[in-house]
Amino acid sequence: MVFRNVIVCHMVPGSEQIVGDVFGHYDQVTRPQDLGVIGRYLLSHHDLYLHVIEREQDPRISGQTRGLPAFQKIAEAIGPYVTPYPRYWKNPSDSVAKEFYHWAPEGEPPADTTLTVIVGRIKPGAEPDVARVFGESDAGSLPTDLGVTGRWLYSIDDVYVHLLEQESAAAEATRDQHGDAPSFGKVMQDLGPYIEPYRPDRWHGPQDSVATVFYRWQAQD
């Protein structure tokens, strides 16, 4: 099972290429895998920057808690475009979202999976209620019906991040139609008091809550 951290910041809209190129350079000239990092996704959603860091093991267990190679150089290079999100920000660790729910089926996950990152706004203190809604749903057949192989929920300030891992074939088959399933509709209804779109004025359906990947790296060894 892959361990993931999620970093959330503000980002200047339209700067995806610049930020992606910075990480592309340093992922080539350094070896993040030597610090236990095996992959990363950089995503954008309106004015948000999301950085999903993948590790083989929780760094609190592996002891590999150091930051990325050339962290300071990366921070300086993306500084004009990527800035802290939380109002309470004091140091880089304050940009790491807190995981409040995780679910995965028993057994080994399939080799071919797709990760979708869903973004919204969460009502302050609503994490237990959101976890309860998904816990009840994940105890039923919906995850199997949608080919879900893992779900992680995070929050930071008023931002809600949902990492949804699915079998690739199932993800493609359900991408445009899972919203029609009654059980999915119930989940959306139950979440209504706690979760809303990040930009309600630009939201027309579930797909408008999906963040866009603009950079992807995976360790080759």
Side-chain angles (χ1 to χ4, degrees):
M1 180 64 66
V2 175
F3 178 84
R4 295 184 172 102
N5 284 125
V6 179
I7 296 170
V8 179
C9 296
H10 280 296
M11 185 168 74
V12 175
S15 61
E16 287 88 347
Q17 184 69 51
I18 297 171
V19 175
D21 286 347
V22 170
F23 277 93
H25 170 72
Y26 284 106
D27 282 337
Q28 288 292 323
V29 301
T30 66
R31 287 181 53 85
Q33 56 266 50
D34 291 343
L35 296 178
V37 177
I38 60 172
R40 82 172 86 257
Y41 293 80
L42 301 184
L43 309 96
S44 60
H45 187 68
H46 300 295
D47 66 334
L48 287 182
Y49 159 92
L50 300 106
H51 183 174
V52 180
I53 302 172
E54 299 181 320
R55 299 175 183 267
E56 289 183 337
Q57 193 175 20
D58 185 336
R60 292 172 297 183
I61 296 174
S62 67
Q64 292 177 310
T65 57
R66 287 182 55 204
L68 300 176
F71 171 81
Q72 191 60 41
K73 292 181 179 179
I74 293 171
E76 291 173 359
I78 68 174
Y81 314 101
V82 177
T83 55
Y85 183 88
R87 290 163 290 183
Y88 50 78
W89 193 93
K90 292 183 179 179
N91 57 66
S93 65
D94 290 332
S95 291
V96 180
K98 306 299 188 293
E99 180 183 312
F100 66 90
Y101 177 81
H102 171 217
W103 176 87
E106 296 182 358
E108 287 294 318
D112 189 12
T113 60
T114 296
L115 186 70
T116 301
V117 179
I118 301 161
V119 183
R121 292 192 188 272
I122 187 168
K123 181 180 178 181
E127 287 85 354
D129 294 297
V130 174
R132 172 183 52 78
V133 170
F134 276 104
E136 293 171 355
S137 174
D138 289 338
S141 64
L142 185 60
T144 300
D145 295 343
L146 298 181
V148 176
T149 58
R151 185 191 315 282
W152 298 260
L153 305 183
Y154 302 80
S155 65
I156 180 170
D157 206 337
D158 65 340
V159 174
Y160 159 81
V161 182
H162 178 172
L163 302 190
L164 178 65
E165 188 180 74
Q166 292 174 279
E167 297 177 33
S168 294
E172 185 66 29
T174 62
R175 183 165 290 125
D176 298 320
Q177 58 191 19
H178 68 270
D180 298 329
S183 51
F184 179 82
K186 183 179 185 307
V187 172
M188 295 295 288
Q189 182 178 0
D190 291 346
L191 289 175
Y194 316 112
I195 302 293
E196 66 176 16
Y198 183 75
R199 286 287 303 271
D201 57 320
R202 297 190 182 183
W203 193 88
H204 302 286
Q207 280 303 113
D208 293 326
S209 293
V210 176
T212 301
V213 179
F214 65 87
Y215 176 76
R216 174 78 172 109
W217 172 81
Q218 284 183 299
Q220 300 301 310
D221 58 5

